[in-house]
Amino acid sequence: MKNDQKENYVVSNFFIFFIIISSINGTGLLGFQNILAKNAKHDGWIVVLAIGISILFILWLIYKILQGESSDIIAVHNEIFGKFIGGLLSIAISIYFLAVSIFVIRTYLEIVRIWAFPSVSVIELGILMLIIIYYIVSGGFRVITGICFLFSLVPSILFLFSLFFPIKFVHLNNLSPILNLSFFDFIHGFKESSSIYFGFETILIFFPLLKNGESSKKWANYAIIYTVFLFTIVTLISFSYFSIGQLLNSKWPTLDMIKIIELPFVERFEFIFVFSWLAVIIPTICLHLWCFCRIYKRLFDIKPRISLVVSLLIVFMSTVGINNYFKLEMFHKYVYVVGFCFVYFYIPLIYVTKIGRNFIKKKLDNIEK
């Protein structure tokens, strides 16, 4: 598909590698081991690989959906369901992207409060973060892409350095027994843990802003493969460093591991790690909020700066409203369920519907001829 966007709005295809990595990371790498331990036990690393393979398949479906004249999911909705129903479906997706932004920022604020400054005001820190986010998102998609490019490899740098210390204390026997899950336990573990990869679905919105969307597929696949590799390595080290019981009782296993790091010039390395993670979550939040604004620009021609201000106000009020960890966990469950249905049910459904529609249309055209 040839892109009809103005040259100063689009980005080169290889940037999708950094965009997808940034869209996935968020706060998942800090605590996903706890979810895996609850649902997959010692076979957590196998589940991580299996989910990664499924995400590659979903990504293939997305590229199939966006082939031809369909520039993004909004165009697909209008093509299949008409403007009214299609618009409602697009609005539903925008709410999901907004909910992800709320969850990521509120989770990070909770981590800062627990691990660094227990007395810090969520309101003050939240306002500071929202100002930064407004400045980035208002600059447009190319600015967000630049931020993703700069910060997408931060997790790798942090982990390569941080995991060097706990790797000296790993016990490989903690990984056994292997292949001890029943089929139903595996499916349950897969379902409960799949959210660690969510975020890549933003490609459904920013796809038209790639210079040649269809040829960007290899870079998107590389991004997923890289992320799977990173998650697998962290899983193997975490599961061999901790016992399953310890992982079940640790909400943020990654932060628990790096607590052992002591350097001559800094005693509490986790402080540096936590605040460095701001560079990881900012691109994630900015990309999801940009997608939110983009949908309303496409549907109602609302200026992005207006929808951005509205979305940031909603994020701020929601962040203040989620004032304890129990509410945050409940909110996470709702976001996860919606995300799981969106990725594993809705995207395949749209693919099948589009294929069926095109088949029927082709048959009718042949009859008319």
Side-chain angles (χ1 to χ4, degrees), residues 105 125-135 312 315-316:
I105 191 172
L125 189 56
I127 290 175
L128 179 61
M129 290 181 62
L130 292 179
I131 291 173
I132 297 173
I133 292 167
Y134 174 83
Y135 178 76
L312 290 177
V315 170
F316 176 73

Side-chain angles (χ1 to χ4, degrees), residues 98-256:
L98 183 63
V100 172
S101 302
I102 294 170
F103 171 71
V104 173
I105 191 172
R106 185 61 185 87
T107 302
Y108 179 74
L109 292 174
E110 186 71 10
I111 292 172
V112 171
R113 189 182 66 80
I114 293 174
W115 285 88
F117 299 110
S119 60
V120 71
S121 170
V122 171
I123 295 177
E124 294 172 1
L125 189 56
I127 290 175
L128 179 61
M129 290 181 62
L130 292 179
I131 291 173
I132 297 173
I133 292 167
Y134 174 83
Y135 178 76
I136 295 172
V137 178
S138 61
F141 183 71
R142 296 188 73 171
V143 173
I144 296 174
T145 300
I147 295 296
C148 292
F149 175 74
L150 289 175
F151 296 143
S152 60
L153 299 182
V154 169
S156 303
I157 298 171
L158 283 174
F159 278 116
L160 285 175
F161 175 77
S162 304
L163 297 180
F164 172 76
F165 294 88
I167 203 172
K168 296 182 292 185
F169 304 101
V170 300
H171 300 280
L172 295 181
N173 59 329
N174 284 346
L175 295 175
S176 59
I178 299 176
L179 298 176
N180 197 40
L181 281 179
S182 67
F183 175 76
F184 293 105
D185 288 338
F186 177 83
I187 295 299
H188 179 71
F190 183 101
K191 181 176 72 71
E192 294 297 322
S193 308
S194 58
S195 62
I196 60 178
Y197 287 110
F198 292 172
F200 75 99
E201 62 273 16
T202 50
I203 190 178
L204 289 164
I205 307 297
F206 68 74
F207 185 80
L209 296 181
L210 302 173
K211 280 189 176 179
N212 190 340
E214 291 181 4
S215 65
S216 67
K217 185 186 300 183
K218 68 175 182 179
W219 293 106
N221 284 317
Y222 291 160
I224 298 298
I225 292 170
Y226 165 82
T227 305
V228 173
F229 173 77
L230 181 61
F231 272 101
T232 304
I233 292 298
V234 176
T235 302
L236 287 171
I237 294 176
S238 302
F239 276 61
S240 54
Y241 180 83
F242 295 107
S243 67
I244 293 297
Q246 289 172 321
L247 285 173
L248 291 174
N249 291 308
S250 173
K251 189 58 188 174
W252 313 107
T254 300
L255 295 175
D256 284 329

Side-chain angles (χ1 to χ4, degrees), residues 91 94 290-311:
I91 290 173
S94 75
W290 179 87
C291 290
F292 175 87
C293 298
R294 173 77 175 179
I295 290 173
Y296 290 96
K297 173 71 167 60
R298 293 271 282 108
L299 288 177
F300 308 112
D301 200 27
I302 298 176
K303 291 182 178 180
R305 288 179 182 266
I306 296 175
S307 55
L308 176 59
V309 171
V310 172
S311 65

